[in-house]
Amino acid sequence: MSVNYPFSAIVGQAEMKRALILAAVDPSIGGILVFGDRGTGKSTAVRALAGLLPPMLVAGTCRYNCDPRQVSQYCAQCREDARHGRLKARKVPVPVIDLPLGATEDRVAGALDLEKALVSGEKAFEPGLLASAHRGFLYIDEVNLLEDHLVDLLLDVAASGVNIIEREGLSIRHPARFVLVGSGNPEEGELRPQLLDRFGLSVEVASPKDIASRVEVVKRRDAYDRDPAGFVEAWKRKDQALRSTIRKAREALDGVEVPDAVLEAASGLCLKLGVDGLRGELTLMRAARALTAVEGRRQVGREQLHAVAVSALRHRLRRDPMDEAGSGLRVERAMAEVEPA
């Protein structure tokens, strides 16, 4: 059985690691987009997240990961089991599901169970990847190369939180709320604006620029490849500490206050940058609140807002042919103009 590379052992890439942790604390922040060079640990970090998350409660043997505490959101089978008093809860790992580029729409959304149909003549539904990812993470490597019909499907489900399948005489709907994590290399293609807007945070990763960091990456990767189990054991305590931090931050999240002055600062920054809509402010507030909970504080301050601003806004900027600066630099410059030190 393969073991994931420990999250704590990833060298550098602080912005990417922080974004993934914030989404784990508050999934309502939205998806995470990770763009950057090949071989910079994008996929490794996302898969490492799976081993870091505290387990979640699932209703009985539900194939849609229904939450036993959310009765109103039960699937049809869970409603039936609950009605007969046979619904039990169990703990399972939070799912981190890979969506391969070559996946068919049936594999993603679900389809008729052909085996049952051929063997017994029964029309039964075979859940797809969206069902498996409910309450967890859906990961797409090279998301900018995803086919348009799958992008449309993801946009529909991400907007409603429900997957609806109407085909071969079947009519099925089930909850499908997940954190979408996409990674890719910007040189290989751009992302459709509609999908880009669905990502709450956007981070950029790059190869280490100093010799010491590059050597440390190579040493750790070699140690993991030689003895995966031993390497994971060596980093177990640090991953456990991080898992405990995420759990405590989740528990404290609802009690974190967001002062009006911070919201006004967020709106001022979005206005300065000409960000369309209000999703920028919402993401700024949620990400800053999650970061405050991670830091063990009770009230969001300007420093938490500034810490997440680039990740929350860089992918929401309009192109300015008169400004050659990168989007991250434009956000930092706007922050300095709106609130000079």
Side-chain angles (χ1 to χ4, degrees):
M1 180 179 173
S2 64
V3 291
N4 289 322
Y5 193 88
F7 193 87
S8 301
I10 296 170
V11 177
Q13 314 297 9
E15 187 188 14
M16 173 177 65
K17 290 191 289 187
R18 182 179 62 196
L20 291 170
I21 290 171
L22 295 185
V25 171
D26 183 3
S28 73
I29 289 173
I32 309 294
L33 180 63
V34 185
F35 260 8
D37 304 333
R38 295 188 192 88
T40 46
K42 300 188 292 291
S43 301
T44 299
V46 175
R47 295 193 172 99
L49 188 67
L52 192 65
L53 300 172
M56 66 181 192
L57 277 177
V58 166
T61 56
C62 180
R63 298 188 298 171
Y64 307 105
N65 296 333
C66 282
D67 186 340
R69 297 160 299 187
Q70 301 291 329
V71 178
S72 62
Q73 297 178 16
Y74 280 178
C75 66
Q77 185 60 53
C78 284
R79 284 198 300 272
E80 185 69 12
D81 288 346
R83 195 163 67 85
H84 291 92
R86 60 190 182 213
L87 189 70
K88 296 180 180 178
R90 60 192 173 97
K91 283 187 175 181
V92 300
V94 173
V96 178
I97 304 298
D98 276 290
L99 194 163
L101 288 181
T104 64
E105 193 166 325
D106 283 353
R107 179 73 185 103
V108 177
L112 179 69
D113 187 333
L114 288 176
E115 185 176 348
K116 279 190 177 179
L118 293 173
V119 173
S120 62
E122 179 186 354
K123 281 188 175 182
F125 179 64
E126 179 65 32
L129 298 177
L130 295 180
S132 301
H134 179 50
R135 301 174 61 207
F137 291 73
L138 183 67
Y139 174 54
I140 310 170
D141 192 16
E142 298 181 320
V143 64
N144 44 337
L145 304 182
L146 194 65
E147 293 183 28
D148 283 350
H149 69 99
L150 292 182
V151 171
D152 292 337
L153 173 61
L154 288 177
L155 288 173
D156 288 343
V157 175
S160 65
V162 177
N163 183 31
I164 301 173
I165 303 97
E166 303 275 359
R167 62 187 64 167
E168 285 104 13
L170 286 173
S171 179
I172 303 287
R173 58 186 294 144
H174 64 80
R177 296 190 183 280
F178 47 82
V179 176
L180 183 63
V181 181
S183 66
N185 185 336
E187 295 177 357
E188 295 174 345
E190 295 185 348
L191 211 57
R192 278 172 54 181
Q194 298 92 331
L195 183 57
L196 188 63
D197 192 49
R198 287 291 164 187
F199 289 98
L201 302 176
S202 171
V203 300
E204 296 177 356
V205 294
S207 305
K209 303 299 183 191
D210 62 285
I211 291 178
S213 296
R214 298 178 76 95
V215 169
E216 191 60 30
V217 171
V218 171
K219 287 170 67 177
R220 290 185 190 180
R221 186 71 214 191
D222 185 57
Y224 170 77
D225 289 341
R226 285 170 176 267
D227 179 12
F231 187 80
V232 169
E233 183 64 26
W235 287 88
K236 187 177 178 181
R237 290 185 65 181
K238 289 196 173 182
D239 264 8
Q240 283 178 338
L242 194 48
R243 186 179 301 117
S244 175
T245 298
I246 292 173
R247 180 180 54 77
K248 290 177 181 175
R250 284 178 171 178
E251 294 169 356
L253 189 65
D254 288 343
V256 175
E257 297 177 10
V258 185
D260 285 351
V262 171
L263 291 176
E264 289 168 5
S267 292
L269 183 58
C270 289
L271 283 172
K272 178 70 178 176
L273 289 165
V275 175
D276 293 328
L278 294 172
R279 199 165 283 157
E281 280 105 314
L282 281 171
T283 303
L284 272 174
M285 180 190 69
R286 289 168 179 166
R289 185 169 55 198
L291 178 60
T292 303
V294 168
E295 294 175 348
R297 301 174 191 270
R298 304 286 295 175
Q299 187 177 80
V300 178
R302 301 289 175 93
E303 60 270 34
Q304 286 81 33
L305 189 72
H306 288 183
V308 301
V310 171
S311 301
L313 298 177
R314 66 153 55 95
H315 57 306
R316 306 180 194 280
L317 305 188
R318 296 174 185 165
R319 285 184 177 169
D320 184 353
M322 304 300 290
D323 191 343
E324 295 294 328
S327 53
L329 186 58
R330 287 172 60 192
V331 176
E332 291 174 358
R333 200 169 57 199
M335 279 194 292
E337 293 174 4
V338 171
E339 296 187 59

